[in-house]
Amino acid sequence: MTIDDPARPETTEAPPSHTAPDSPAAPAAPAKPTAWSALRPLVLRMHFYAGVLVAPFLLVAAASGLLYALSFQAEKVVYAHELEVPVGETTLPLSQQVNIARKVNPNGTVTAVWPGAEPGATTRVLMADPDVPEDTQLAVFVDPYTGDVRGQLPSYGSSGALPLRTWIDGLHRDLHLGETGRNYSELAASWLWVIALGGLLLWLGRRRRNRRALFVPEGGPASRRRTLSWHGSVGLWAVTGLVLLSATGLTWSRYAGENIGIVQDGLGGATPTLTATVGGAAGGSSEHEGHGGAHTGGTAAQGPDIGLDKALDAARAAGIDSPKISLVLPTGGKGYVVKETDTQFPLELDSVALDPADGTVLDRLRFADYPLLAKLTRIGIDGHTGVFLGLFNQLALAALALSLILLILWGYRMWWLRRPGRPAARGAWRRIPVTLLLPLLAVTALVAWFVPLLGLSLLLFLAVDLVLGLVSRTRAKAN
């Protein structure tokens, strides 16, 4: 993401001449104009404005994203007491563990249970509790071997983020400013792919002696040339990941995310849903939440209930064989829902709904049966949030965030070294052939409509540019 001053000509490295010293130099033939030579000033000017004005938003997003990528491992250290226990010889039945959790928080309503996925991991009993923040649940951590309660913490989202990661996630998502703050992250995601691809075109379009200079930064004393070399080379290595981060970030943004969802649904790529309604029980009263006081802590049971342990056995028999699962309890006319939650490759994300009366399978949903777009969306979001491929995913996110921070800082350094940093000459679009300009305008309008914050900020850039041009012409006339 170059924040550069293209007003000055770029230095190019011409190959050594083999013409004899006494031979008169042959007049150079005028270069035939190309589409890139016509587009380059426009790309350069847009890259300059976007880099100067949007880079602060990207810097905040990258810094908070770096913290988020590291928060997974930090969470394991900070909450080790709640998450880990000594391995015992036998585990207690799930129903008994849930009863223990109910006793320490009798006012909570159990909604789901996450059995420990590996030896030495606690069982997480999730409860709806009015004392925890909105959109979170209270997690009671139970030692599956002894039944000791290791602690209680708010848990957020399908990945079960605990308070540290939840706070960092909120910082990255909306700066803890709610819906208004989400505009910052959507603006950053909207421009990230534009700036990254624009920088890639500018870097590839430079003339150089060898291909090595394309991929490997230059050494030598500190200078603008060396900074540009590092900026371009690191940007080349990072561009694919940055574009993917932008695309996946937009999928759940406020405005562009809605448009993406409409297109995905229209192409038949909507994520399928599991039907867990018990026959004849749909629309039942809320008292149905009390399936078996033994596991909800609510009212008495409204009908037969096989219980947690038999529900888990029935799910295993139905093919839910991943060690990482979430067992959602019956509520409001719905049956048990047992979901695989292993997002590491190969993905195990099948789910099954069971009739609480006898464990009969009500519905089954295999991840292999998802439409391709739904699969890609799920993998993309999991990759963006750091839960796909585990530690490798988190390290890759950290590397991308760090590279984006460095790219921005290098860009500002180059701008400072070439201050006052004027952009390319105005009117570059007028030199673009009409056959190229009209499709470009059409694509720009379509993208601006589809990604609204990109379109609005682009109009702002144009307004700023017009004002600066007017001021410049006024000063020129005055002199």
Side-chain angles (χ1 to χ4, degrees):
M1 282 180 299
T2 308
I3 304 174
D4 201 357
D5 174 12
R8 302 182 185 181
E10 295 181 3
T11 57
T12 57
E13 301 176 3
S17 173
H18 297 287
T19 306
D22 296 333
S23 301
K32 184 179 181 180
T34 62
W36 171 240
S37 64
L39 279 175
R40 184 181 181 281
L42 186 62
V43 174
L44 204 50
R45 190 170 184 78
M46 181 57 61
H47 198 64
F48 174 83
Y49 272 124
V52 171
L53 300 177
V54 179
F57 296 94
L58 287 172
L59 187 60
V60 173
S64 58
L66 176 60
L67 291 176
Y68 179 78
L70 300 176
S71 68
F72 286 86
Q73 302 307 313
E75 192 174 66
K76 294 179 180 180
V77 176
V78 174
Y79 304 112
H81 178 76
E82 288 82 4
L83 296 172
E84 300 174 3
V85 293
V87 178
E89 295 183 359
T90 59
T91 59
L92 301 175
L94 273 184
S95 56
Q96 185 175 344
Q97 297 180 53
V98 170
N99 277 334
I100 293 171
R102 285 182 52 244
K103 290 178 181 178
V104 300
N105 186 24
N107 295 323
T109 300
V110 178
T111 58
V113 182
W114 296 5
E118 55 191 18
T122 54
T123 296
R124 190 178 303 200
V125 180
L126 299 177
M127 293 184 170
D129 191 297
D131 295 330
V132 298
E134 188 179 1
D135 296 329
T136 64
Q137 299 184 83
L138 181 67
V140 180
F141 298 88
V142 180
D143 185 331
Y145 307 104
T146 65
D148 293 337
V149 174
R150 304 284 289 185
Q152 304 179 58
L153 293 169
S155 176
Y156 173 78
S158 59
S159 67
L162 298 179
L164 173 65
R165 183 153 58 94
T166 300
W167 188 89
I168 296 175
D169 174 65
L171 179 68
H172 179 67
R173 184 177 63 252
D174 58 20
L175 300 178
H176 296 291
L177 297 176
E179 289 299 317
T180 301
R182 289 182 64 187
N183 294 332
Y184 118 84
S185 58
E186 183 168 353
L187 179 67
S190 298
W191 275 99
L192 178 57
W193 67 276
V194 177
I195 300 176
L197 292 180
L200 175 66
L201 290 175
L202 293 171
W203 183 242
L204 293 177
R206 293 177 64 88
R207 286 188 292 172
R208 46 182 57 85
R209 286 183 177 178
N210 54 65
R211 294 194 175 217
R212 184 177 184 276
L214 188 67
F215 300 97
V216 181
E218 293 182 6
S223 64
R224 182 187 172 281
R225 178 187 179 87
R226 191 182 74 167
T227 303
L228 176 60
S229 175
W230 277 91
H231 182 95
S233 299
V234 172
L236 181 66
W237 287 106
V239 64
T240 301
L242 295 178
V243 171
L244 289 175
L245 279 179
S246 175
T248 53
L250 287 174
T251 56
W252 69 86
S253 62
R254 184 176 182 182
Y255 301 109
E258 292 181 2
N259 291 333
I260 292 172
I262 292 172
V263 171
Q264 183 177 343
D265 292 349
L267 294 175
T271 301
T273 57
L274 189 74
T275 301
T277 303
V278 178
S285 69
S286 59
E287 293 179 350
H288 193 63
E289 294 178 0
H291 276 302
H295 60 242
T296 65
T299 58
Q302 298 297 307
D305 192 327
I306 60 174
L308 283 167
D309 302 294
K310 290 185 178 180
L312 180 56
D313 291 340
R316 296 297 190 196
I320 304 300
D321 52 8
S322 172
K324 298 182 69 172
I325 63 167
S326 170
L327 199 156
V328 181
L329 275 63
T331 180
K334 307 291 184 179
Y336 285 99
V337 175
V338 185
K339 302 180 288 187
E340 296 178 333
T341 59
D342 190 353
T343 56
Q344 299 191 44
F345 189 82
L347 283 73
E348 294 184 276
L349 298 172
D350 297 348
S351 57
V352 65
L354 305 171
D355 190 325
D358 54 13
T360 302
V361 174
L362 300 172
D363 194 16
R364 192 192 320 265
L365 183 58
R366 298 193 312 152
F367 184 71
D369 296 331
Y370 278 34
L372 178 60
L373 279 179
K375 289 180 181 177
L376 294 177
T377 299
R378 175 61 193 259
I379 292 173
I381 291 177
D382 285 349
H384 189 108
T385 55
V387 297
F388 179 57
L389 303 181
L391 179 60
F392 174 81
N393 189 173
Q394 295 148 27
L395 292 176
L397 286 177
L400 279 175
L402 181 60
S403 68
L404 181 54
I405 292 171
L406 292 174
L407 288 170
I408 294 170
L409 296 180
W410 284 328
Y412 275 117
R413 173 173 169 76
M414 286 186 292
W415 183 40
W416 178 256
L417 291 175
R418 186 175 270 184
R419 57 188 182 276
R422 300 180 305 277
R426 293 180 176 86
W429 64 272
R430 289 193 292 267
R431 294 188 288 274
I432 301 176
V434 176
T435 54
L436 184 60
L437 180 61
L438 292 180
L440 179 63
L441 290 175
V443 171
T444 301
L446 179 62
V447 172
W449 169 82
F450 193 76
V451 187
L453 291 189
L454 174 64
L456 291 174
S457 54
L458 180 58
L459 290 176
L460 176 62
F461 293 171
L462 293 175
V464 170
D465 194 42
L466 290 173
V467 170
L468 292 178
L470 180 61
V471 171
S472 178
R473 286 192 296 270
T474 302
R475 289 178 177 175
K477 290 180 180 179
N479 295 331

